[in-house]
Amino acid sequence: MSATLFNLVLHKALKNLEQSNMILNRLTQICGHANDILVTARSLPALEALRDELSKEAGRVGLVVSPDKTKYMRFSAPPSRRSVKGVTINGVTYEGVAEFIYLSTLNSNDNSVEKEIQKRILAGNRTYFAAISLFRSRLLSRATKILLYKALIRPVASYGAEAQKMAKKRCTNSPSSRKKNI
């Protein structure tokens, strides 16, 4: 019951901010799911203004933004501008990170997907080895094992894969992409 009340109160506070449009035509955006909130801003002054507004709206409904749980990450094309150092806003210092997990997806400041793909492959392996006794069982038919694979392992390994892409140069190191000379 308390989680439901928290989500209702949080929704009311976020609704008052009116930040639901896309970041394409705005300086800031807020994405929320359950008790996770992702705040996106094009500049540090816009982030400071949104943080102040968010704290004010959260305070009206009795919520507090926790500096210990709040992280800061800077995205940028040039590697020299992707600093991992923290940021101080109104005397509160927020920890800087190079990567974070939001909605079970690993996001990094260099926008690479290799770590996310590795994470998904490892999750698929863990799922397979957790159910290996079923796959080795002679009591189950091949058709049943294929259904188990499609229902258990493939969804875990391919979660979010439709949104991922790898550059051709990144794929050239994989064993399946190497040409074999006979």
Side-chain angles (χ1 to χ4, degrees):
M1 180 75 166
S2 64
T4 305
L5 287 174
F6 172 77
N7 285 334
L8 289 172
V9 171
L10 180 64
H11 178 70
K12 179 174 179 6
L14 292 179
K15 189 176 179 183
N16 293 340
L17 291 176
E18 295 294 328
Q19 294 287 324
S20 59
N21 291 345
M22 293 186 62
I23 191 78
L24 297 174
N25 57 358
R26 302 181 70 104
L27 287 176
T28 60
Q29 178 184 10
I30 295 178
C31 301
H33 179 75
N35 63 348
D36 290 336
I37 299 173
L38 177 66
V39 177
T40 308
R42 291 185 180 260
S43 66
L44 191 56
L47 180 65
E48 290 174 357
L50 183 58
R51 187 254 177 222
D52 292 341
E53 194 175 341
L54 179 63
S55 293
K56 185 172 72 174
E57 287 297 327
R60 285 185 185 165
V61 293
L63 299 177
V64 177
V65 177
S66 172
D68 298 330
K69 294 181 181 180
T70 306
K71 309 294 182 215
Y72 169 79
M73 183 167 68
R74 184 172 182 169
F75 290 95
S76 182
S80 61
R81 296 186 61 188
R82 290 186 220 132
S83 64
V84 184
K85 64 182 179 180
V87 64
T88 302
I89 300 174
N90 293 340
V92 180
T93 302
Y94 298 101
E95 176 188 356
V97 294
E99 56 189 32
F100 69 94
I101 295 176
Y102 181 69
L103 299 180
S104 301
T105 303
L106 182 70
N107 299 291
S108 62
N109 64 354
D110 61 351
N111 205 21
S112 66
V113 294
E114 285 87 7
K115 290 179 184 175
E116 175 64 20
I117 291 171
Q118 276 301 116
K119 185 179 135 201
R120 290 287 157 210
I121 290 171
L122 290 173
N125 283 341
R126 282 194 304 272
T127 306
Y128 170 74
F129 285 109
I132 198 165
S133 62
L134 295 173
F135 290 108
R136 289 189 176 165
S137 173
R138 292 183 179 206
L139 298 173
L140 299 176
S141 68
R142 178 178 287 186
T144 304
K145 292 176 184 179
I146 289 172
L147 287 174
L148 283 172
Y149 166 77
K150 288 180 178 178
L152 293 176
I153 298 168
R154 192 164 56 179
V156 170
S158 64
Y159 175 80
E162 65 275 359
Q164 298 170 349
K165 67 176 188 173
M166 283 184 73
K168 189 173 183 178
K169 66 179 181 179
R170 294 178 182 163
C171 293
T172 56
N173 294 333
S174 67
S176 61
S177 66
R178 294 187 190 125
K179 293 183 180 179
K180 296 183 179 176
N181 296 327
I182 299 178

